[in-house]
Amino acid sequence: MKLLLAGIVLVAIVVILALHARPKEEKPPPKDKLDDLRPLLRGINYLLTDQPDQALRTLIEVAHHHSELAEVYLALGEMFRARGEYMRAVRIHQSLLARPNLSAELQLQAAWALAKDYHAGGLLDRALRQYARVLELAPDHLPALEASLRIREDSSEWDEALKLLARIERLEGNRRPAHRAALLAQKALQALQQGQLLQAQSLADEALALDRSCGAAWLVHLRSALQRDDADQTCKVLHDWREHAQASWPAAVAEAAQRASSQVRDGVFRWLRAHTPDEAAALFWIENEYRLGGVRAAEEAAKALGMEQPQSLRSWIRLQAFVRSDRIGALARDWSKTLPNWRCKQCGVELREIRWRCPQCHQWNTMQPITEEDACAPPS
Ligand SMILES: [Zn+2]
């Protein structure tokens, strides 16, 4: 709604300026000028009395009578997009682009606005084509490159994403090693899924050379070791991951717990006992033991991992969910069913499963385990 009001105010200002800027010889007699201004004043009045819908209708009328004012159309298009009326915004911007003699600057603005309409409306192929059109008009349009990159990332098109990132880096004159590493790691995970083990490993190495804290790249090496049933290599990756990317390390333990064969699991468990995992990591292991062998197995694992007395209330309640078969255990299990385990350090969004790219702020490698006491309130 704030965006809408801002848009309406923008339209009003544009129209007032335009009316004032009219050449003198075109200046209508005072009565006509008042007629010109009347709908605008009515629109502003609606705005002041908090009736944005009527304000919008009136300002559309103004734009209709002053069709030479491309800026009015641009502002209206912004408003329709802000209201979620994407196709109306699209029509406005398309009709603007179809006008002959539109200045290069306005053409660029309309093309950019149209691309954002498609993007906001979920028409991603059209948005990509339109962002490309913007980049034809202005090859150094950084926001169009960033927006295209986001679409490629959303669609897991990593090669295209890497090309766009290279263009952004060239334009900024700055490298983004962590971002590049994150994209290479995703490409590696994709290769691993398709059974291309060697390519996956080499991509993961390339990613780690750029950013040792890239959790997704470590995940590629961990999954490779687990696929080969190699306990020593699994423990080595766990060791290196912890050393270089501690924030995401509990995800490594969760992965090993869930995917290891029983033989590898024994080796990993011995390694964990010897290397005292933090609470978040230990809880992932214990949770998996509970799934496999119930309360008794979880209880033994908790004892072996030194987790009988967790430091925080949150960890204590989570532990009770796995090691007790009484009423408290049942309550703790209910409580922890929807409990988020990860929080984005950038935007604060909380998630149950780790995500290498935050679904809210779209930043890479920003998830940290939630461990602190203040997070112990049950999620609403
Ligand atoms: Zn975030």
Side-chain angles (χ1 to χ4, degrees):
M1 188 52 79
K2 268 185 195 157
L3 201 58
L4 176 63
L5 290 179
I8 293 173
V9 171
L10 182 65
V11 174
I13 291 170
V14 165
V15 175
I16 289 172
L17 287 176
L19 288 173
H20 273 271
R22 279 190 166 186
K24 279 213 159 54
E25 58 272 21
E26 276 181 31
K27 197 174 177 180
K31 188 180 171 300
D32 286 359
K33 185 162 185 182
L34 197 64
D35 283 347
D36 259 358
L37 280 172
R38 200 159 281 147
L40 178 62
L41 295 173
R42 204 167 54 237
I44 293 172
N45 187 42
Y46 282 136
L47 195 59
L48 293 173
T49 53
D50 205 13
Q51 301 176 72
D53 287 340
Q54 284 91 329
L56 191 56
R57 268 199 295 277
T58 313
L59 292 168
I60 291 170
E61 200 183 312
V62 175
H64 184 70
H65 290 301
H66 297 276
S67 58
E68 75 280 10
L69 297 176
E71 287 91 347
V72 174
Y73 276 89
L74 280 171
L76 279 174
E78 292 289 331
M79 272 193 283
F80 281 126
R81 190 186 324 114
R83 286 162 63 94
E85 296 181 51
Y86 306 120
M87 290 329 286
R88 291 185 83 174
V90 163
R91 278 198 296 277
I92 284 180
H93 294 131
Q94 276 175 337
S95 74
L96 203 54
L97 282 168
R99 279 190 195 182
N101 309 324
L102 195 65
S103 73
E105 174 59 29
L106 284 171
Q107 211 176 359
L108 177 62
Q109 280 185 39
W112 169 237
L114 182 59
K116 287 196 287 183
D117 299 337
Y118 286 139
H119 198 168
L123 300 169
L124 300 185
D125 284 344
R126 285 192 203 184
L128 273 177
R129 280 201 295 275
Q130 192 59 33
Y131 285 131
R133 174 93 188 97
V134 171
L135 289 164
E136 279 168 23
L137 296 170
D140 57 352
H141 200 290
L142 195 58
L145 284 170
E146 297 270 12
S148 309
L149 173 57
R150 183 177 295 179
I151 293 178
R152 296 298 188 184
E153 288 177 343
D154 287 341
S155 331
S156 305
E157 295 173 278
W158 307 116
D159 284 328
E160 292 302 321
L162 281 160
K163 278 185 218 161
L164 284 162
L165 182 64
R167 275 180 78 174
I168 292 171
E169 287 176 328
R170 270 200 302 276
L171 200 60
E172 289 183 331
N174 242 333
R175 308 299 275 175
R176 292 189 186 181
H179 196 160
R180 177 165 290 275
L183 296 181
L184 287 167
Q186 290 306 313
K187 200 177 156 183
L189 281 168
Q190 211 169 43
L192 194 64
Q193 230 167 18
Q194 293 161 354
Q196 298 158 337
L197 189 67
L198 288 178
Q199 202 207 343
Q201 284 176 328
S202 118
L203 284 164
D205 283 337
E206 207 183 320
L208 289 169
L210 289 166
D211 177 15
R212 301 299 278 178
S213 73
C214 180
W218 289 114
L219 180 65
V220 173
H221 285 312
L222 184 65
R223 282 191 182 163
S224 308
L226 288 167
Q227 271 180 19
R228 293 196 312 270
D229 249 350
D230 187 333
D232 289 344
Q233 184 61 21
T234 300
C235 294
K236 186 183 179 312
V237 177
L238 283 173
H239 176 272
D240 292 346
W241 185 335
R242 186 188 211 178
E243 192 170 317
H244 298 290
Q246 203 172 9
S248 60
W249 189 70
V253 177
E255 182 79 14
Q258 283 167 31
R259 293 199 182 218
S261 65
S262 57
Q263 177 201 337
V264 171
R265 196 190 321 276
D266 289 344
V268 172
F269 188 49
R270 274 196 301 278
W271 184 89
L272 278 178
R273 285 173 62 176
H275 291 82
T276 332
D278 50 64
E279 282 186 1
L283 278 165
F284 279 128
W285 188 272
I286 295 163
E287 182 175 2
N288 198 64
E289 287 298 310
Y290 171 77
R291 266 193 228 117
L292 293 175
V295 164
R296 177 157 299 182
E299 211 175 4
E300 276 170 26
K303 202 177 287 177
L305 294 174
M307 270 289 289
E308 288 147 302
Q309 293 298 327
Q311 297 293 306
S312 75
L313 178 61
R314 184 180 194 279
S315 298
W316 185 84
I317 299 177
R318 270 195 75 198
L319 183 65
Q320 305 315 302
F322 313 130
V323 299
R324 292 175 83 133
S325 45
D326 60 2
R327 175 93 182 119
I328 290 175
L331 284 171
R333 274 192 293 282
D334 273 352
W335 179 77
S336 62
K337 246 173 217 159
T338 54
L339 194 66
N341 294 316
W342 300 90
R343 180 185 295 139
C344 171
K345 65 179 174 194
Q346 202 73 31
C347 71
V349 72
E350 293 185 346
L351 303 167
R352 193 157 169 80
E353 304 290 335
I354 194 167
R355 297 274 286 274
W356 302 108
R357 178 171 174 249
C358 174
Q360 184 163 279
C361 69
H362 308 293
Q363 298 292 305
W364 287 96
N365 217 14
T366 54
M367 293 296 159
Q368 289 180 329
I370 301 173
T371 49
E372 60 272 51
E373 288 258 0
D374 63 1
C376 70
S380 55

